Every structure is written in C-alpha cells, then in structure tokens.
Amino acid sequence: MNGASDIRVALVEDDPVIRETIAHLLRLEKGFDLMSVFANGEDAVAGMPRKEVDIVLMDISMPGMTGIDCMRELRGDMPATQFLMYTMHDDDHRVFEALKGGATGYILKSSSPDQIIEAIKELHQGGAPMSTAVARRVVAHFRPVHQQSAKGKSPLSEREHAVLELLSQGLLYKEIADRLGLTIGTVKQHIHRMYGKLHVQNRVEAVNKFYGR
C-alpha cells in the first residue's frame, strides 16, 4: 500500500526493456509510488497527471519528441514537478540543453539501480543529483573562469568547501557522507548552510556561483 508521503514518480522511456526494468524497480521500492509509465514524449504530454507527480524520470533520446522537448511542454503545467533526465549520453550539448530546459538532475543509464533510487530521493529532498561524468562536464565548463575561487576569498568553511567539491564531482549525499566520515544528516546541514551563503538553490547553481560563471 502506498503512503501519503511516498515519492510520486512518472517514467518516460521508449526502450521497452529499460522501461519495464525501471518500472519494476520503482514498484518494488518502499516509499515510491509509480504514477504513470509512458513509451514516448507525445503520450507523456497527452496523459501525464499534471498535479500528482513529484518527479518525472525522463529519457532524452526518443523517436519523435525528445525528452528535452517533452520536459519543456510539461513544465508550464507542472511548476512543482522536478525532472530527472535519464540517458545514455553525457555530451556537453545534451547536458546543457537539459539543464537550460529546466532539468534539476541528470544521470546516465549506466547508473546502478541503487544510484537511480538515491538520485530520485536526493532530488525529492532538494538536491540536484548528477552522474559523475555529467558533473565533471559542468564543472569543467565553469571552473576555468575562476581557478582561484576557494583560496582566501571563500565564504565557505573548509568542511563546506570539501562538501561542494564532492558535490561537483557528482557524488550523492550518502557517498559524500561516507567519503568524509559524516552522517547524511550532517552533510545535508552543511549543504543547507552552503547554499544559504552562496544564495543558491541547488548543486548546479552552487557550482556556477562558486566557480565564477
């Protein structure tokens, strides 16, 4: 039985094997409510329950309407919904088109089931999960402008800077906690304070602000 606090997810994926695999994973996972499953962007635009979905897990490369175009069509009617892009590709154009289009997370299909589940949870909790390869491309785009960012002029504490560095590498909250020997709750506290100091709302904005673009 699904609870009132379950994360309500919709899935848009054209590959039938991947679609059923992810759908099965989400149906089995405690704390998740799989609201809808769509095989293409056109069906998603026509049938998505607009006010009932917390997170849309969206494939990018689909025949016909792409996932990025589908997201753009849906966002106007779903301002409270977050979009987690799920794709084989990590090239710069797709990454930045997805982020500009309103995506708040971007993971690769090479991610493990646990990483997919953790990414959805992190997004629901206010994070901006990215696969490591994607995060590195974002950081590579921002970092050259401001190489001297952290030394002597940073508003962040040493620990907050360490957390930001790991966020910029695409690590999830649990992975950051393990790397730094902290609890997940402590990591979230550091991130909350860091976002407040930088006046940002998520990982992408933090990297953008801190590294100078």
Side-chain angles (χ1 to χ4, degrees), residues 184-202:
I184 294 177
T186 300
V187 169
K188 290 179 181 177
Q189 290 173 5
H190 284 307
I191 290 172
H192 179 73
R193 286 195 295 268
M194 179 179 66
Y195 286 177
K197 290 179 180 180
L198 297 177
H199 306 291
V200 299
Q201 309 252 332
N202 58 52

Side-chain angles (χ1 to χ4, degrees), residues 64-83:
M65 179 181 287
T66 69
I68 295 174
D69 288 338
C70 180
M71 173 179 60
R72 287 172 174 152
E73 286 287 328
L74 291 169
R75 276 188 60 79
D77 295 329
M78 305 174 71
T81 300
Q82 301 190 80
F83 289 82

Side-chain angles (χ1 to χ4, degrees), residues 159 163 174 176-187 190:
R159 180 66 80 182
V163 170
K174 183 179 184 303
I176 293 172
D178 291 344
R179 185 76 64 88
L180 296 178
L182 304 172
T183 66
I184 294 177
T186 300
V187 169
H190 284 307

Side-chain angles (χ1 to χ4, degrees), residues 31-144:
F32 284 72
D33 183 2
L34 183 59
M35 304 289 295
S36 303
V37 179
F38 301 99
N40 57 64
E42 291 83 356
D43 287 350
V45 169
M48 183 75 68
R50 300 294 202 269
K51 300 186 184 302
E52 300 174 8
V53 177
D54 297 313
I55 292 172
V56 178
L57 184 58
M58 176 79 72
D59 184 22
I60 286 186
S61 298
M62 296 185 289
M65 179 181 287
T66 69
I68 295 174
D69 288 338
C70 180
M71 173 179 60
R72 287 172 174 152
E73 286 287 328
L74 291 169
R75 276 188 60 79
D77 295 329
M78 305 174 71
T81 300
Q82 301 190 80
F83 289 82
L84 179 60
M85 310 310 284
Y86 181 64
T87 179
M88 297 283 292
H89 305 282
D90 65 344
D91 64 90
D92 292 351
H93 176 73
R94 290 176 188 271
V95 169
F96 290 106
E97 280 300 304
L99 295 175
K100 285 192 296 183
T104 41
Y106 196 120
I107 61 173
L108 300 181
K109 290 186 179 181
S110 56
S111 302
S112 69
D114 285 347
Q115 288 173 324
I116 295 168
I117 292 299
E118 286 302 315
I120 294 173
K121 289 179 179 178
E122 181 175 327
L123 189 61
H124 188 62
Q125 293 167 359
M130 286 188 220
S131 294
T132 303
V134 174
R136 283 175 178 165
R137 289 181 180 275
V138 173
V139 173
H141 178 73
F142 292 128
R143 180 166 279 161

